Structures are given as structure tokens and as C-alpha cells.
Amino acid sequence: MSHSSRTSRVAGCTLVVIALGAGVTACSSDGNPLSATPYDAAEQISFNGPTKAGKKADPDKPLEVTAEGSEGRITDVTATDAAGRHVSGELSADGLRWHSTSPLAANAHYTVRVSTEDDDGAPGRRVVTFDTGKPRTTKRLNVTFGPQAGKYGVGQPITADLNQPVKDKAQRAIVERGLKVVSSPVVDGSWHWVDDKKLHYRPKDYWPVNATIQVRSNLDGIKISDRLWGGTAKPLKITTGDRIVAVADGASHYMTVYKNDKEINSIPITMGKPGFETRNGVKVVIGKEYFVRMRGTTVGIAAGTSESYDLPVYYATRVTWSGEYVHAAPWSVGDQGSANVSHGCIGMRTSNAAWFYENVRPGDIVKVVNSYGNTMEPFGNGFGDWNVDWAKWRKGSALVTGNPEGPTEVDRARLRPQSV
């Protein structure tokens, strides 16, 4: 390959330097060839995409960029689609070949920027664009994020429900890379596969106070398997409020409520009696109901037995789907602060239940200690996510390798930024 026109410019530059004197150049400010305007490397670089108008690339095939001849090498390649999604890739040690390592999206427009340098170290550049075609199958993986947009407590997990099951770990990794959670302030967090169709995301610790969390999917048009491609997902934005943590102690029979780590109330309570013990562990408020009709038959207690009940309940703050609430229990005021007599709920006098009801929101934390009950289930009965330690939580990710206690890929990049 010939750079005759570029060589002429360099020669002319040399003559001007001689005429003007040492230390003065008409081509660059410091004499470094890397500061010169890049030459057109179109003849030096080829890629395996379509070159004719109207032709579209097969999204099933990886992208390859090659340096032709022996007069230069590739130094960098960036490939980005119109949605801003980057294609990962690897450059060979000799700089003669780059290939993509992440799948291309279907029905996408790509811009590929290739940087090169010749034998003299002068920089070159080639920019190519191309479109990808449609996937061969119509089966799509759509994602629904939860909860609904709004303001939540610092314990609220993010959920992702898939309309198709994903079992293979490599395919799960593709899905997980496409589900983006960005929080401000930044915190370390991870997805966890609950089952083949559901993921939960939480930080290592609770979300920061007054944080903004934005969730989106980059899977649209991405190949997940031969028969499944990424589909649509509505982005989600939630915010957090104050850090509200209520600690209910089955031994002292009091609930202590903290706001941003400062105690703001101490409430006499009663919890589950023997045979109906309240679950231990961390629970997340999942809803509030001013009035609930509570019947023993809904939790397996036969009507007409000594333990059956049918009661109107007010100021009910729900913490499990199976029926655990923090609620007004005027019938047990005499035992509140001294004994556990409920069928599993946390009961308190009406004025205290009203205060609690008005001062908490979904996502706030209710932590039960010193009960004889089992530990709150991690999944399926509300949000018991915080009862899973961080190392085990991260093992539920398809992307974790090495030490699960260590930082995520995002944190590693943040802790060891590239030099500029």
C-alpha cells in the first residue's frame, strides 16, 4: 500500500522546519507523529461486513476487522450502535486482527472506528458504518422491571421478570449483561437469579438515603440463543427516602424505630405465640392497607377451633404475602410490651399502629430478632433478599467468577481506571 500523498506532506513539512529553524513545525506542535492528522486507512483496513448499498450484516456472525499488507497495524477498534451499545472485542497481539466477543444486535445501525499506525508510528483512521438484518426467529425475551416507578425505602430490591425461561449459564450471562442498574450515589450491587424467569438486584448493603436508581435493558435485538432474541423492556426509575429500620424484639416485646440511624420511637408490641412464631430476620414493607378482614382460615386454622379468629384490623402494614402485618391490635393491649400472644403478626395499640402506618413506605425495613420462628424466606413470600449474605448473593449471578466477596466488574474498573 502506498501513502504517497501523505509522504509528500511529511517531506514538505521537513523543508518548512529547516527554513523556519529548530523547534518550529508546520505540521504538529511537538514533532510527535502521533499528534499529526490521521491518514486515511481505508486501503489498509478491511472488515467482514457488507459494502454494497442496501446489504445488511448477519447479526449471527461476529464482526472482524483486519489489517491488510505489512505496512501497519490496528491499535484500537470501537463499535457502537445507534442506541449507544458498545460491542466488546479482542485485538490480536500483532495488531493485525480484531474480532467481536459480544453479539451484534439485530435491526441495528453500527459505526465502527478503527485506529491504526504505520511503520513510522504515524496514526491512521477508518470509519465504516453498516446495518444488521432481522433475526431468523420471532421468539423474543421481554423484560418487566419492578417495582413501579416511585419513592421507596432503602431496602427495596429491583426485580426483573422474563417472559421466557433462561436456564443455560452462558445465556444467563448475556441476559444479565444487558440489564443495567445505575444508582446515584454509586453503590456495589449485583443481580441474583431467583429462578429461570426472575432476577432480583440489590446492593451489598441497603441503598443510600435519597438515591436515584435507574434500570434499563440493552437486550433489544441481542441474540441469546439460536431460538431466542432480546425484546423490549420499559425502563424504570425509582428514588429512595430516609433510612427507616424498625427492629421488633421478641424478647423485650418492643419495636424500636430508627430514622437515618437515630431512634425516633419505641413501641410496646406483641408477636407470635408458641406454634405461631413470627419469622426472624429482615423483611421489607410490601404494602399498606387501612383496613383488612383477617380470618384464621386463610392461614390454615380451621373455623370453630380454639385458635380460629375473624377480626377487623386497621392500619395494617404488610411484610409478607402469607399474611404477616404490623397492625393495630386493641384486643391485646394488656400483653403488649410483656408477652407474645398473636398468630404471627406484630400487634400494637391503635395509636401506635397509626403512627407506624403513616411513617413508613414500601421498601422500608422491619427486622425481627429474638423470635423462635424460622428465618424469613429469601424469595416467594415478600422480599427476604437481605437475609442472604453477600457472598452467597453474588454466587447467584451468572457473571461472578473468582472471589464472590470481591468487587464487581464495574467496581474493579472504577478502582483501577485506565490512564489518560
Side-chain angles (χ1 to χ4, degrees):
M1 172 182 172
S2 172
H3 302 320
S4 58
S5 61
R6 185 180 60 83
T7 304
S8 298
R9 290 197 303 272
V10 173
C13 175
T14 304
L15 292 175
V16 171
V17 171
I18 294 172
L20 295 178
V24 182
T25 174
C27 290
S28 66
S29 60
D30 56 10
N32 189 330
L34 293 178
S35 65
T37 301
Y39 64 82
D40 183 0
E43 296 180 12
Q44 184 181 350
I45 297 299
S46 64
F47 83 113
N48 65 331
T51 56
K52 294 182 180 179
K55 295 291 184 179
K56 294 187 177 182
D58 184 350
D60 272 340
K61 295 181 179 180
L63 176 65
E64 292 187 3
V65 179
T66 307
E68 303 290 343
S70 59
E71 296 186 16
R73 65 186 186 92
I74 301 168
T75 58
D76 186 49
V77 178
T78 60
T80 312
D81 72 1
R85 295 178 293 188
H86 289 263
V87 178
S88 301
E90 291 181 351
L91 180 63
S92 62
D94 58 11
L96 299 180
R97 178 179 176 271
W98 178 95
H99 69 280
S100 59
T101 56
S102 62
L104 298 176
N107 288 327
H109 178 76
Y110 279 94
T111 300
V112 183
R113 294 177 172 84
V114 185
S115 298
T116 66
E117 67 177 14
D118 66 10
D119 294 339
D120 298 324
R125 182 178 301 161
R126 185 184 181 189
V127 179
V128 295
T129 61
F130 66 92
D131 296 319
T132 54
K134 296 180 180 179
R136 296 175 182 175
T137 177
T138 58
K139 196 173 183 180
R140 298 289 183 269
L141 181 74
N142 297 326
V143 183
T144 303
F145 294 120
Q148 295 182 349
K151 192 170 187 176
Y152 293 86
V154 297
Q156 179 64 50
I158 301 296
T159 63
D161 290 295
L162 314 179
N163 70 325
Q164 304 289 342
V166 180
K167 299 180 180 181
D168 179 78
K169 186 171 182 179
Q171 295 171 15
R172 285 186 171 190
I174 294 172
V175 172
E176 203 172 322
R177 286 191 187 98
L179 304 180
K180 304 297 183 181
V181 180
V182 179
S183 67
S184 178
V186 175
V187 291
D188 188 12
S190 174
W191 287 105
H192 183 103
W193 286 80
V194 176
D195 56 40
D196 295 341
K197 297 179 68 175
K198 181 183 284 292
L199 300 87
H200 283 194
Y201 186 100
R202 49 154 272 211
K204 182 177 181 180
D205 301 307
Y206 301 139
W207 296 106
V209 170
N210 298 324
T212 298
I213 301 107
Q214 300 188 73
V215 191
R216 71 181 190 279
S217 170
N218 284 341
L219 290 173
D220 192 14
I222 296 295
K223 181 180 179 181
I224 298 165
S225 70
D226 289 339
R227 297 184 178 181
L228 183 64
W229 290 70
T232 60
K234 182 180 179 181
L236 169 68
K237 178 181 177 181
I238 68 169
T239 58
T240 62
D242 292 312
R243 179 186 174 113
I244 303 295
V245 178
V247 180
D249 191 328
S252 70
H253 311 293
Y254 270 77
M255 172 186 279
T256 306
V257 183
Y258 299 90
K259 179 178 181 180
N260 300 329
D261 300 324
K262 294 182 179 181
E263 182 179 332
I264 58 172
N265 207 345
S266 183
I267 302 170
I269 60 170
T270 185
M271 296 203 304
K273 61 186 176 181
F276 300 92
E277 291 89 350
T278 305
R279 293 169 180 83
N280 276 296
V282 178
K283 304 161 192 178
V284 175
V285 173
I286 55 178
K288 300 196 298 182
E289 301 164 59
Y290 171 70
F291 172 79
V292 180
R293 191 86 194 182
M294 292 190 179
R295 298 178 176 88
T297 53
T298 63
V299 292
I301 299 173
T305 63
S306 60
E307 294 294 347
S308 66
Y309 57 87
D310 185 347
L311 296 168
V313 175
Y314 293 89
Y315 299 111
T317 301
R318 183 189 281 268
V319 292
T320 74
W321 294 121
S322 62
E324 272 192 34
Y325 289 85
V326 178
H327 64 75
W331 54 85
S332 65
V333 170
D335 293 302
Q336 292 164 18
S338 60
N340 292 325
V341 299
S342 83
H343 287 88
C345 290
I346 299 173
M348 57 187 66
R349 67 172 61 245
T350 301
S351 59
N352 286 331
W355 178 90
F356 188 79
Y357 183 93
E358 294 297 333
N359 282 275
V360 299
R361 59 166 54 93
D364 285 336
I365 299 297
V366 175
K367 184 177 181 179
V368 175
V369 298
N370 297 322
S371 169
Y372 289 101
N374 295 326
T375 300
M376 170 70 177
E377 306 94 321
F379 311 109
N381 193 21
F383 295 118
D385 305 51
W386 303 102
N387 298 300
V388 181
D389 69 73
W390 184 237
K392 185 175 180 180
W393 181 270
R394 291 202 59 214
K395 286 181 179 178
S397 164
L399 300 178
V400 171
T401 58
N403 178 15
E405 289 280 12
T408 62
E409 293 179 8
V410 172
D411 272 2
R412 280 194 293 271
R414 189 171 69 242
L415 294 171
R416 296 196 300 271
Q418 296 180 347
S419 59
V420 296

